[in-house]
Amino acid sequence: MTAEASLDGLIRCGWSEGSQLYRDYHDQEWGRPLHGDDALFERMCLEAFQSGLAWITILRKRPAFRAAFEGFSIERVAAFGDADVERLMADPGIVRNRAKIEASVHNARVARDLGASLDTLLWSYAPAPRKRPRSLSDVPAVTAESTALAKELKRRGFKFVGPTTAYALMQATGMVDDHIADCWVNVSTR
């Protein structure tokens, strides 16, 4: 699948044409450089929750996720206890997967205790800029950088961030620009 012209005449990556929510996410967020510990923590959590599900599910539930996880504040989520996990398990607005919920709370504690910025850690694995892919079939699911990032995150104690999830995080936060070559979105990495 390559970039496709939309009804508005703009050429976008083919995956973004499923709904207005997808288009808005593609046009305004995906692949744009994102910085800030809490903002990156949110994306890390959402990418983990997405595992095994369609991304549209996460986009639809994103406002509820933000409310349930108190804006993905690392400090606030790190303070969650068993009652909070049960509250989240009872929340129909989010994906109620105990392992992913517990991993998000655990990961907040790891991020809080890093002794360094989560932003600095994640962006240190961003590869050098490269040419945009010609088609979606040219976009990898895993790279050497995402494998190295996942290994480092695991070494530090993070959960639910394997090489594929790490690469999706890199794509979503602009560490790599995987917009198809003909796509109208123009982003600069870093």
Side-chain angles (χ1 to χ4, degrees):
M1 188 179 268
T2 59
E4 299 175 4
S6 300
L7 293 176
D8 61 10
L10 296 175
I11 296 174
R12 292 182 175 84
C13 302
W15 63 264
S16 70
E17 290 304 314
S19 73
Q20 187 63 47
L21 199 54
Y22 265 148
R23 280 188 298 281
D24 290 346
Y25 176 68
H26 170 272
D27 291 358
Q28 299 165 19
E29 293 184 67
W30 191 77
R32 295 185 186 274
L34 180 70
H35 290 279
D37 289 354
D38 290 345
L40 288 164
F41 175 67
E42 174 186 358
R43 296 293 183 86
M44 180 186 288
C45 290
L46 294 179
E47 291 295 345
F49 273 102
Q50 185 274 329
S51 182
L53 301 171
W55 183 244
I56 194 72
T57 302
I58 302 305
L59 287 177
R60 287 180 180 139
K61 293 179 175 278
R62 192 174 185 188
F65 269 113
R66 284 178 169 163
F69 282 90
E70 299 188 24
F72 288 97
S73 162
I74 291 171
E75 287 296 325
R76 290 184 192 144
V77 176
F80 282 9
D82 293 341
D84 293 294
V85 171
E86 294 310 316
R87 171 183 58 82
L88 294 168
M89 284 297 296
D91 187 338
I94 68 167
V95 173
R96 294 177 287 180
N97 178 302
R98 184 173 298 276
K100 292 176 182 180
I101 290 169
E102 289 176 346
S104 295
V105 173
H106 172 84
N107 288 349
R109 292 175 184 151
V110 173
R112 177 197 62 200
D113 298 338
L114 272 178
S117 164
L118 180 63
D119 186 308
T120 300
L121 172 63
L122 295 177
W123 276 89
S124 72
Y125 285 86
R130 63 175 194 246
K131 289 177 72 171
R132 283 180 158 187
R134 294 291 319 150
S135 71
L136 289 178
S137 64
D138 295 329
V139 177
V142 173
T143 63
E145 294 88 359
S146 73
T147 300
L149 174 57
K151 184 177 178 180
E152 179 61 16
L153 292 171
K154 182 177 181 179
R155 184 188 75 74
R156 291 178 182 254
F158 286 92
K159 297 179 179 179
F160 267 93
V161 189
T164 303
T165 300
Y167 193 67
L169 177 66
M170 294 171 109
Q171 291 174 303
T173 60
M175 292 178 210
V176 296
D177 179 5
D178 275 345
H179 283 278
I180 303 307
D182 295 335
C183 180
W184 79 269
V185 173
N186 183 13
V187 297
S188 62
T189 57
R190 311 278 178 242

